Amino acid sequence: MNEFALIERFFADPAAHEPPPSWLRLGIGDDAALLAEENGWETAITCDTLVEGRHFLAGTDPEALGWKALAVNLSDLAAMGAVPTGFLLALTLPEADEPWLTAFACGLFACARRHGARLVGGDTTRGPRALTITALGRVPAGEAILRSGARAGDDLWVSGQPGRAALGLAVRLGALPSTLPGAREWIAALDRPEPRLALGCRLRGLAHAMLDVSDGLLGDLRHLLERSAPPFLTAEIEVARLPLDPLVAGGAPPERARAALLSGGDDYELLFTAAPESRDQTLLLGRELGLPLSRIGRLVPATAHPMVLIEPDGRRTLPEVLGYDHFCACKEYP
Ligand code: ADP
Ligand code: MG
């Protein structure tokens, strides 16, 4: 049973067949749930855990961890087009290590200040190190960008430089030399991801569907495709349009750069779809925000395969590895 089958089997709301309560705008299945407020806004709420040995290595710089624990949650708010408000911190620690806590809090509040989020509560327990944050945000009612809004004919876009975090991890694990020109930047992307909050907000009314890339571009793209309404969609990804050159220029072997970009986790870039008519406006927005936006393909009515790669020579291939799944080490495709 994979992670998503597990959620579906045991935690899909048993009351889902009943009409939802009026306060519930969106439940399980997107980057955040949406709760109705009375003043023309909706609350977006999301929760993510970082576990030692799974999401970060023992001995990771606690300041970076503090930043990242919050940043990955704010990224889910960004993926809805929401603006952060408060957050709750549930901390499980093996011991009360003062230098560790000082550095962790420093990173945490640096991220909180930068993005205007307030710590409003939490829980503190002893046990194997795990960091859970529940983040709250707000978005004008009806304007959140859902995973489910994609349409046939949409362009597929991704922000920034996906693939850096996976290469950073490879450097950290000694699988790539730390002397490569891109190594510092990749490790920074792994340790201090920047939630794309400004972009998320500005894409309201422009993007049809969106999610953040936490588990790998293709794996997360598949989640977006799965949420689209019947008769369903296939994504055609144009390999020549992927932002591979900067990774290769940083010293990543081309095959490794491609795998990191398509399947590496932990990037927290935004993946979104938009009408071809919005191309100029989208490019302009990227320039205004100083964040490159790459148009990497398009969505077509469903064919035999949910995702197809169009190689630079025109050949159509199927992706090998998708994304990360906590309960499934196997290749997921097809
Ligand atoms: P993300 O990568 O954006 O954080 P996930 O892939 O972790 O999202 O989760 C997919 C969806 O399943 C989300 O809507 C999340 O809220 C929901 N979910 C995950 N675990 C549980 C659970 N144990 N109970 C209910 N819903 C869950
Ligand atoms: Mg997400």
Side-chain angles (χ1 to χ4, degrees):
M1 187 172 6
N2 74 16
E3 181 185 338
F4 301 98
L6 183 157
I7 298 167
E8 182 64 34
R9 170 142 164 224
F10 295 101
F11 301 109
D13 186 353
H17 59 280
E18 294 168 16
S22 60
W23 52 264
L24 180 59
R25 293 279 163 82
L26 183 69
I28 294 175
D30 217 301
D31 292 289
L34 294 172
L35 315 181
E37 287 181 40
E38 267 159 20
N39 49 9
W41 291 81
E42 287 168 2
T43 295
I45 179 163
T46 180
C47 158
D48 259 315
T49 295
L50 300 184
V51 177
E52 185 168 282
R54 174 62 63 179
H55 299 94
F56 60 90
L57 306 169
T60 298
D61 170 18
E63 190 173 344
L65 269 184
W67 175 282
K68 186 162 175 174
L70 181 55
V72 302
N73 277 278
L74 299 184
S75 174
D76 278 321
L77 296 180
M80 305 300 289
V83 176
T85 53
F87 69 97
L88 302 164
L89 171 65
L91 208 49
T92 303
L93 300 172
E95 74 268 307
D97 173 341
E98 280 193 43
W100 191 95
L101 282 160
T102 304
F104 177 82
C106 179
L108 179 81
F109 286 113
C111 185
R113 264 193 310 277
R114 178 169 165 92
H115 296 292
R118 282 286 282 268
L119 178 60
V120 295
D123 193 25
T124 305
T125 53
R126 178 176 242 173
R129 200 182 312 273
L131 321 164
T132 299
I133 286 182
T134 301
L136 296 143
R138 55 202 324 239
V139 56
E143 292 187 27
I145 307 168
L146 312 188
R147 292 182 179 183
S148 56
R151 304 167 202 173
D154 277 359
D155 290 327
L156 190 61
W157 295 80
V158 69
S159 67
Q161 184 59 69
R164 291 186 308 184
L167 294 174
L169 183 62
V171 171
R172 186 151 281 160
L173 294 174
L176 285 176
S178 59
T179 48
L180 292 178
R184 271 176 71 127
E185 184 200 331
W186 301 338
I187 285 184
L190 176 69
D191 283 347
R192 273 178 79 100
E194 267 299 337
R196 303 302 190 190
L197 285 154
L199 175 65
C201 278
R202 294 289 300 277
L203 284 172
R204 286 184 213 143
L206 190 67
H208 292 163
M210 179 154 70
L211 47 49
D212 69 328
V213 180
S214 50
D215 299 335
L217 196 153
L218 293 177
D220 283 317
L221 171 58
R222 193 158 84 161
H223 295 151
L224 187 144
L225 297 172
E226 282 167 353
R227 300 284 297 177
S228 64
F232 304 115
L233 299 166
T234 283
E236 294 182 341
I237 296 160
E238 291 177 59
V239 173
R241 294 192 145 275
L242 295 172
L244 268 170
D245 290 352
L247 301 179
V248 175
E255 273 310 305
R256 184 148 208 156
R258 173 173 162 148
L261 197 158
L262 288 174
S263 307
D266 252 5
D267 279 312
Y268 305 98
E269 296 294 353
L270 293 180
L271 183 66
F272 60 96
T273 82
E277 294 72 39
S278 321
R279 278 179 196 172
D280 290 348
Q281 203 184 339
T282 306
L283 288 172
L284 202 64
L285 176 59
R287 275 200 289 277
E288 203 182 305
L289 297 174
L291 179 62
L293 301 178
S294 306
R295 178 163 61 79
I296 60 169
R298 62 192 194 117
L299 303 181
V300 298
T303 60
H305 300 285
M307 287 180 279
V308 176
L309 299 174
I310 302 179
E311 303 293 337
D313 62 8
R315 268 182 316 124
R316 297 166 75 87
T317 61
L318 296 180
E320 270 229 321
V321 185
L322 292 181
Y324 188 77
D325 185 307
H326 280 278
F327 295 100
C328 183
C330 56
K331 288 182 178 178
E332 264 193 274
Y333 199 83

